[in-house]
């Protein structure tokens, strides 16, 4: 049975955070001063097992989900992530993908592909090591992330998409070099507006570089024109180079909210269902599972939650919403 929410939006896309841990400390996501060695990460026993995730995934697919993205935290720091991929890949009719910072991708790409992963999105905010470090606070070489992407392409995890978050005053100067480089490579670069997700990153509107500004910067050197979305509810707006040199995407979650078509649900590493990236509370599916609920009972609860959903945080964003409590991105995944 396909579900629609209170604003008539279907449920199509499920993002599953497989861990709240990460080997990077990106300043816009897990700033080191908060996510230090004493940060109370979830104990292993509180994180959904692969079997629990796969069971939930099947129930969600029964409700119309067609795409599952594994995320985190950093999904590839979860031990044997490819075994989860294998379990999910057995579900028919599913577009299965994963978002990673790329640090562990080179060594895992083949196993992920063999397990049935279709493609990957790799996050990279600059080609310059100093700038990259200023953002990920982990002193990890750009070259290793590029190696991860290339290995993924080599084993057939394509098309490769690259996510770049732009923070004013930090990596604006990387916009053009990134555009040139990935145009050459044929990977689809997507620029993400810096969002006020969570409450630890000290977000300010002044730090946001708008999609319009990004398109203008690139277009001045390599002219772009807008193209139609691949499907309704696609997060990235697509632009192509007028000379036929490929396309880029811009994700304007701040300056041009796309809640109207939002068909995404998220499951946190500890098994809570969130119906918005900016939600305050999740619905505890793990307790239900661990207390012996049947698939039917879980399915009915999901249907009730989605049926009532009226989230549209980005459309309502204002000075008043910025300081509201919100769950961290590393808990529920991007
Ligand atoms: N660790 C993986 C990674 O970085 O690709 C997956 C999880 S990460 C939370 C998913 C995506 O969210 C990444 O592309 C990241 O750049 C993006 N992201 C994190 N914090 C953000 C923020 N405050 N604003 C915009 N995008 C953000
Ligand atoms: Fe880790 Fe990804 Fe968040 Fe960076 S954006 S801290 S890589 S989870
Ligand atoms: Fe969807 Fe919430 Fe983002 Fe709007 S703010 S697009 S409802 S996740």
């Amino acid at each position: 049975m396909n579900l629609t929410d209170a604003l008539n939006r279907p449920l199509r896309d499920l993002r599953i955070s497989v861990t709240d841990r990460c080997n990077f400390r990106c300043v816009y996501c897990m700033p080191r001063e908060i996510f230090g060695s004493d940060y109370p990460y979830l104990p292993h026993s509180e994180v959904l097992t692969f079997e629990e995730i796969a069971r939930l995934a099947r129930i969600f697919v029964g409700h119309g989900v067609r795409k599952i993205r594994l995320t985190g935290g950093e999904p590839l720091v979860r031990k044997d992530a490819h075994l989860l991929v294998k379990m999910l890949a057995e579900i028919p009719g599913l577009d299965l993908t994963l978002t990673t910072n790329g640090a562990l991708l080179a060594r895992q790409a083949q196993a992920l592909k063999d397990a049935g992963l279709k493609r990957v999105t790799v996050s990279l905010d600059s080609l310059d090591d100093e700038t990259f470090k200023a953002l990920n606070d982990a002193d990890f070489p750009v070259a290793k992330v590029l190696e991860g992407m290339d290995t993924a392409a080599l084993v057939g995890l394509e098309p490769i998409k690259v996510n770049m978050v732009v923070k004013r005053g930090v990596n604006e100067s990387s916009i053009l070099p990134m555009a040139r480089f990935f145009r050459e490579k044929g990977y689809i670069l997507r620029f993400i507006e810096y969002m006020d997700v969570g409450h630890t990153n000290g977000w300010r509107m002044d730090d946001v570089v708008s999609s319009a500004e990004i398109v203008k910067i690139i277009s001045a050197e390599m002219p772009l024109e807008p193209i139609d979305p691949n499907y309704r509810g696609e997060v990235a707006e697509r632009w192509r180079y007028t000379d036929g040199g490929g396309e880029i995407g811009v994700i304007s979650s701040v300056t041009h909210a796309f809640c109207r078509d939002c068909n995404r649900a998220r499951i946190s590493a500890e098994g809570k269902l969130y119906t918005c990236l900016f939600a305050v509370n999740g619905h505890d599916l793990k307790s239900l599972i661990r207390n012996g609920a049947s698939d039917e009972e879980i399915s009915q609860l999901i249907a009730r939650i989605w049926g009532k959903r009226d989230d549209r945080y980005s459309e309502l964003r204002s000075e008043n919403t910025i300081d509201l409590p919100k769950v961290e991105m590393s808990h529920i995944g991007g």
Side-chain angles (χ1 to χ4, degrees):
M1 188 190 63
N2 287 353
L3 302 175
T4 48
D5 71 7
L7 301 176
N8 210 22
R9 297 168 296 187
L11 170 57
R12 288 279 178 272
D13 186 329
L14 179 64
R15 301 186 176 196
I16 304 175
S17 172
V18 300
T19 177
D20 60 339
R21 291 164 197 255
C22 186
N23 44 357
F24 283 11
R25 286 292 174 275
C26 300
V27 293
Y28 48 71
C29 180
M30 295 178 74
R32 197 175 285 280
E33 56 279 16
I34 312 274
F35 294 87
S37 50
D38 53 352
Y39 183 80
Y41 293 100
L42 293 169
H44 192 63
S45 59
E46 291 305 318
V47 175
L48 287 183
T49 64
F50 288 171
E51 287 73 18
E52 288 168 338
I53 293 175
R55 183 173 169 206
L56 285 177
R58 283 183 191 279
I59 296 173
F60 273 90
V61 168
H63 276 313
V65 162
R66 291 290 165 266
K67 177 171 162 188
I68 290 187
R69 177 175 297 279
L70 298 179
T71 176
E74 171 48 41
L76 299 187
V77 304
R78 175 94 187 245
K79 192 167 176 284
D80 295 330
H82 66 281
L83 297 181
L84 173 62
V85 167
K86 188 163 189 304
M87 292 163 86
L88 297 177
E90 282 163 9
I91 304 175
L94 202 55
D95 178 17
L96 183 59
T97 178
L98 175 147
T99 303
T100 171
N101 62 27
L104 300 171
L105 186 56
R107 71 175 94 135
Q108 295 190 31
Q110 187 67 59
L112 291 166
K113 173 71 184 171
D114 293 346
L117 190 69
K118 301 266 194 332
R119 55 200 172 79
V120 283
T121 297
V122 183
S123 304
L124 178 66
D125 298 329
S126 181
L127 293 169
D128 170 64
D129 275 316
E130 277 307 303
T131 313
F132 187 40
K133 185 181 171 192
L135 281 158
N136 67 34
D137 200 10
D139 209 3
F140 193 83
V142 171
K144 282 270 175 202
V145 179
L146 296 178
E147 187 192 335
M149 287 181 201
D150 289 344
T151 311
L154 204 66
V155 303
L157 288 170
E158 288 178 304
I160 307 275
K161 290 185 183 162
V162 181
N163 278 356
M164 171 177 178
V165 176
V166 186
K167 189 170 178 197
R168 190 172 303 283
V170 187
N171 64 337
E172 287 147 289
S173 60
S174 299
I175 294 172
L176 265 175
M178 288 278 287
R180 290 185 200 117
F181 184 80
F182 288 110
R183 179 179 134 104
E184 236 1 84
K185 280 231 167 242
Y187 300 164
I188 302 171
L189 177 58
R190 301 168 349 145
F191 297 90
I192 308 181
E193 288 179 351
Y194 173 36
M195 287 185 285
D196 50 326
V197 66
H199 58 87
T200 58
N201 60 14
W203 184 91
R204 297 176 318 141
M205 188 68 201
D206 290 352
D207 293 332
V208 178
V209 180
S210 71
S211 294
E213 200 176 331
I214 293 168
V215 167
K216 200 166 156 206
I217 292 171
I218 299 173
S219 245
E221 178 178 309
M222 299 172 281
L224 288 163
E225 62 188 6
I227 44 176
D228 288 339
N230 287 310
Y231 53 88
R232 187 181 164 208
E234 188 171 28
V235 174
E237 289 159 39
R238 301 168 66 207
W239 293 77
R240 77 173 156 222
Y241 294 108
T242 53
D243 68 359
E247 68 177 84
I248 63 156
V250 289
I251 302 179
S252 321
S253 14
V254 178
T255 62
H256 189 198
F258 38 76
C259 302
R260 186 164 313 178
D261 285 330
C262 179
N263 53 20
R264 289 175 292 286
R266 294 176 160 86
I267 300 177
S268 68
E270 61 181 326
K272 287 188 179 164
L273 168 62
Y274 289 87
T275 55
C276 178
L277 186 54
F278 298 91
V280 182
N281 296 310
H283 306 266
D284 187 1
L285 300 181
K286 183 182 67 199
S287 296
L288 212 60
I289 294 181
R290 294 192 181 173
N291 288 330
S294 66
D295 282 6
E296 188 49 35
E297 285 165 333
I298 299 169
S299 173
Q300 281 173 8
L301 177 70
I302 294 167
R304 276 203 301 279
I305 294 168
W306 194 264
K308 282 199 228 147
R309 173 187 190 244
D310 61 358
D311 304 287
R312 50 190 197 100
Y313 176 91
S314 285
E315 285 181 356
L316 302 174
R317 182 185 281 112
S318 70
E319 289 306 317
N320 301 333
T321 57
I322 305 278
D323 292 330
L324 290 178
K326 287 167 236 151
V327 66
E328 293 300 319
M329 181 88 126
S330 53
H331 276 252
I332 63 170

